[in-house]
Every structure is written in C-alpha cells, then in structure tokens.
C-alpha cells in the first residue's frame, strides 16, 4: 500500500468523523440515545476503514510489508535461507 492510499484513508476517516459530529449536533441535546447511536455507528465506520484496507494497528508499515514479502517468498518456493 503506497503513501497516497494511506492519505486517502486518513481523509475518509476524518470525513466520517466530521460527518458524525455534524449529525450528532443536529440531533439536539434532548435525544441522548440517538446521539449515542450516532457516535457508535460513526466510530464503527471509522474503525472499519483501516481494517478493510488491511492496516494492522499494532504493526508499523515496514514490518507488515516485510512479513508479506517473506510469506510470498515461502509460498512461491524461493526461501533464501
């Protein structure tokens, strides 16, 4: 995944966050349950974006790329060890 793809993911996450805030404010203060549901839905959407792009939160980009290249070598039978 290139850096441009990561930038687009960041833009999508920020857009979802801003949209969630706008919807949350439009609902008004007297609808606490609705506001909570909006928060949960938008937070879930923001969490799914990196998951669907196969970005692991516990691994830096370089390590994930290294692991993918090692597993592809083993599958193709080019293990250099």
């Amino acid at each position: 995944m290139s850096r441009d793809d990561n930038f687009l993911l960041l833009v999508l996450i920020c857009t979802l966050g801003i949209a969630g805030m706008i919807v949350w404010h439009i609902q008004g203060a007297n609808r606490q349950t609705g506001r909570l549901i909006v928060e949960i839905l938008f937070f879930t959407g923001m969490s799914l974006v990196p998951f669907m792009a196969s970005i692991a939160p516990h691994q830096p980009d370089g390590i994930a790329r290294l692991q993918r290249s090692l597993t592809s070598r083993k599958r193709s039978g080019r293990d250099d060890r």
Side-chain angles (χ1 to χ4, degrees), residues 20-72:
M21 285 185 250
I22 291 170
V23 171
W24 187 81
H25 281 289
I26 288 174
Q27 282 195 330
N30 58 349
R31 296 178 143 194
Q32 288 96 11
T33 305
R35 289 175 112 177
L36 176 65
I37 292 170
V38 166
E39 283 183 50
I40 292 170
L41 290 175
F42 277 94
F43 181 75
T44 302
M46 291 168 59
S47 299
L48 283 176
V49 169
F51 175 75
M52 297 299 284
S54 299
I55 296 176
H58 59 280
Q59 288 182 333
D61 252 356
I63 292 174
R65 272 193 225 117
L66 177 64
Q67 285 180 341
R68 280 193 299 266
S69 68
L70 289 175
T71 54
S72 67

